[in-house]
Amino acid sequence: MANVTIIGTQWGDEGKGKVVDLYAEKANVIVRFQGGNNAGHTLVVKGEKTILHLIPSGILHNNKLCILGNGMVIDPQVLIMEIERLRLRGVLPADTRLLVSDRAHVIMPYHRSIDLARESQLSHKIGTTGRGIGPCYEDKINRQGIRICDLMDEEVFRQKLMSNLEEKNFYLTKRFQMEPLLGENILAEYLTYADYIRPFVADTAYILAEEINKGRKILFEGAQGAHLDIDHGTYPYVTSSNTAAGSAATGSGLGPGSMNNVVGICKAYTTRVGEGPFPTELCNDIGKYLQEAGREFGSTTGRKRRCGWLDLCLVNQAIRTSGISGLCLTKLDVLTGLEKINICVGYRLETGEIIDHVPASIKVLSQCEPLYETLDGWSEELSGARSLDELPKNTRKYIERIEILTGVEAVLVSIGPSREETIVLKNPFVA
């Protein structure tokens, strides 16, 4: 038996939600371990779409334990809205439990205000969602954050809130000429949130350790993608947390020995939301085709995703930094109808040097020329296939070439948005 960590190998939006939903059937516990409501995972079950921003994607399954880990930053208003929407739709199973770590940090109104104010004044936009995620993580690292356990104690919460507001209001009014935020109003609002989420709050790291001791199967659900990692991504066009697989340990409160198989989600082409270099971006009819056929619009922001050919420099670097042992290839159906398909296998620098990894310097990366292998495309529809043998010959060749160039086997192939449009090649929970 093995626990499984799922991460994105690109810049997010690889289709992690669907894969987590599928793997959750075989898991007992599903854990989100980093990020906040800047992530969005889309599930399509029986033709009905569900978009989740905070709650783990396994929430739609019966008899599961879903956990928001200590590595997350949580906007309690968004969490409550998400729970209520699921309840109103009648899709929140009565025997599935949701728990929130008492060590997770709380996103406050001043975090959102600072996030939006900073981005509005940048000449080169980062592309933040404006949800307050970055400023909340700043307070965490600066040791002045408010945690869920603080929110549960009115006296502690009041003291920390007022102390923080003194500094934040000075910053907002002097730096951005904004109106000061009123502490008593925030206090009243957030104490209402505290009463709602109190039944969900627990020492989730302790509970996870108990679950592992009982032999339960754990699924760790990453948000965003490997190249949005604060250390290993295309900095500064990154998120504010570690998205690599190692974060699953620190973000859930378990030792690295609890992390067994790491599965990387790899879209059959590459997309990126917001700003930052994108070597294989297609600013032409093919890029527009991928955007429209793949319905490439952000589930959190609604922003159009930039589209380009599959970049294996990105994917291979994610494999190295996260120890990926299997790939889930998603959205292969979107490539249907293209006569030729390119795969980026390297970059040529301005100096003429050829590399096969992602340089740290944004300036260097933005000047990289992608080097392609070209494969024949296919015109046949994929959605009806339920095994590799039922896929067109050229589709199989595309999958095989990705396996060869990455050195990692495909364990799942997604050929459509629904659960049924999936070819499962290997059970990741088998060690």
Side-chain angles (χ1 to χ4, degrees):
M1 185 184 298
N3 298 321
V4 176
T5 304
I6 289 182
I7 67 156
T9 61
Q10 294 150 307
W11 282 299
D13 310 311
E14 299 95 349
K16 293 182 294 298
K18 174 185 174 178
V19 177
V20 172
D21 176 57
L22 285 164
Y23 284 170
E25 290 183 317
K26 301 182 182 298
N28 305 110
V29 185
I30 302 93
V31 187
R32 269 281 308 272
F33 55 86
Q34 48 77 219
N37 59 302
N38 54 338
H41 289 172
T42 302
L43 318 176
V44 180
V45 182
K46 296 179 180 178
E48 188 172 7
K49 182 185 290 187
T50 299
I51 298 176
L52 300 170
H53 300 284
L54 285 171
I55 296 176
S57 300
I59 196 68
L60 302 184
H61 292 272
N62 292 313
N63 197 29
K64 306 297 178 184
L65 174 59
C66 293
I67 288 177
L68 278 64
N70 57 272
M72 293 186 67
V73 291
I74 296 171
D75 187 324
Q77 181 184 33
V78 173
L79 176 60
I80 292 166
M81 288 173 58
E82 202 160 286
I83 293 170
E84 286 303 307
R85 286 194 189 113
L86 292 172
R87 282 178 171 166
L88 285 170
R89 288 175 51 204
V91 296
L92 194 62
D95 58 356
T96 285
R97 290 192 298 153
L98 176 67
L99 296 179
V100 180
S101 171
D102 52 7
R103 289 174 167 83
H105 280 248
V106 181
I107 294 175
M108 303 298 297
Y110 47 78
H111 292 138
R112 295 191 295 270
S113 296
I114 291 170
D115 205 0
L116 290 167
R118 284 176 177 166
E119 183 77 357
S120 69
Q121 295 197 6
L122 288 176
S123 56
H124 297 287
K125 307 294 184 188
I126 296 297
T128 174
T129 59
R131 267 56 171 185
I133 278 75
C136 186
Y137 273 117
E138 285 179 42
D139 279 358
K140 174 179 179 176
I141 298 304
N142 203 32
R143 299 186 296 271
Q144 62 188 55
I146 295 174
R147 299 189 294 172
I148 293 289
C149 61
D150 302 322
L151 182 60
M152 295 300 105
D153 186 316
E154 182 175 348
E155 181 181 351
V156 172
F157 178 60
R158 176 187 288 273
Q159 185 274 321
K160 289 197 168 188
L161 170 63
M162 298 308 175
S163 175
N164 271 287
L165 264 184
E166 184 176 357
E167 178 185 311
K168 307 305 183 191
N169 275 336
F170 179 83
Y171 182 60
L172 287 168
T173 57
K174 301 300 182 183
R175 175 68 177 83
F176 300 107
Q177 292 75 52
M178 296 175 66
E179 291 295 318
L181 299 172
L182 301 178
E184 291 301 325
N185 291 354
I186 297 173
L187 181 69
E189 177 187 354
Y190 272 66
L191 288 178
T192 301
Y193 300 154
D195 288 339
Y196 184 103
I197 68 173
R198 196 177 304 276
F200 301 96
V201 176
D203 185 343
T204 56
Y206 180 82
I207 291 170
L208 273 172
E210 287 190 318
E211 293 294 307
I212 286 178
N213 289 337
K214 293 174 185 175
R216 305 282 199 254
K217 289 178 282 189
I218 317 295
L219 180 62
F220 299 92
E221 176 183 359
Q224 289 96 24
H227 293 278
L228 294 177
D229 187 281
I230 191 70
D231 287 307
H232 302 290
T234 48
Y235 189 91
Y237 301 100
V238 293
T239 192
S240 300
S241 60
N242 286 109
T243 60
S247 183
T250 54
S252 63
L254 295 172
S258 300
M259 314 295 136
N260 306 122
N261 288 339
V262 181
V263 175
I265 315 301
C266 175
K267 192 181 287 187
Y269 48 100
T270 306
T271 62
R272 179 164 202 172
V273 172
E275 306 300 321
F278 185 170
T280 66
E281 183 173 10
L282 294 168
C283 301
N284 56 20
D285 288 344
I286 295 177
K288 185 177 180 181
Y289 172 83
L290 293 174
Q291 186 182 84
E292 292 176 351
R295 294 182 288 279
E296 294 296 351
F297 302 92
S299 54
T300 295
T301 63
R303 291 180 293 182
K304 290 182 179 179
R305 296 174 185 146
R306 301 151 62 192
C307 297
W309 296 121
L310 176 61
D311 187 340
L312 290 188
C313 295
L314 291 176
V315 175
N316 281 326
Q317 188 144 312
I319 289 169
R320 292 193 297 272
T321 56
S322 284
I324 291 170
S325 51
L327 287 176
C328 295
L329 302 178
T330 62
K331 290 203 165 186
L332 272 166
D333 53 301
V334 176
L335 297 179
T336 299
L338 295 176
E339 185 178 349
K340 298 290 182 179
I341 299 172
N342 288 335
I343 301 176
C344 175
V345 295
Y347 300 141
R348 180 180 284 110
L349 304 181
E350 277 199 324
T351 61
E353 180 186 358
I354 293 174
I355 60 173
D356 62 359
H357 61 276
V358 183
S361 167
I362 293 302
K363 178 181 178 182
V364 174
L365 181 59
S366 65
Q367 296 167 346
C368 283
E369 175 193 347
L371 303 176
Y372 291 117
E373 279 194 14
T374 301
L375 285 75
D376 291 328
W378 58 88
S379 58
E380 302 94 327
E381 289 296 323
L382 308 185
S383 59
R386 293 297 176 264
S387 70
L388 284 183
D389 291 340
E390 295 176 16
L391 291 173
K393 179 180 67 173
N394 286 344
T395 312
R396 296 198 304 272
K397 285 184 177 180
Y398 187 68
I399 295 168
E400 290 165 5
R401 193 61 186 147
I402 292 170
E403 290 180 316
I404 291 169
L405 291 169
T406 61
V408 178
E409 65 178 338
V411 296
L412 179 149
V413 176
S414 175
I415 50 176
S418 71
R419 282 178 179 171
E420 294 74 25
E421 294 171 312
T422 311
I423 300 170
V424 179
L425 303 172
K426 185 176 180 180
N427 180 357
F429 287 102
V430 177

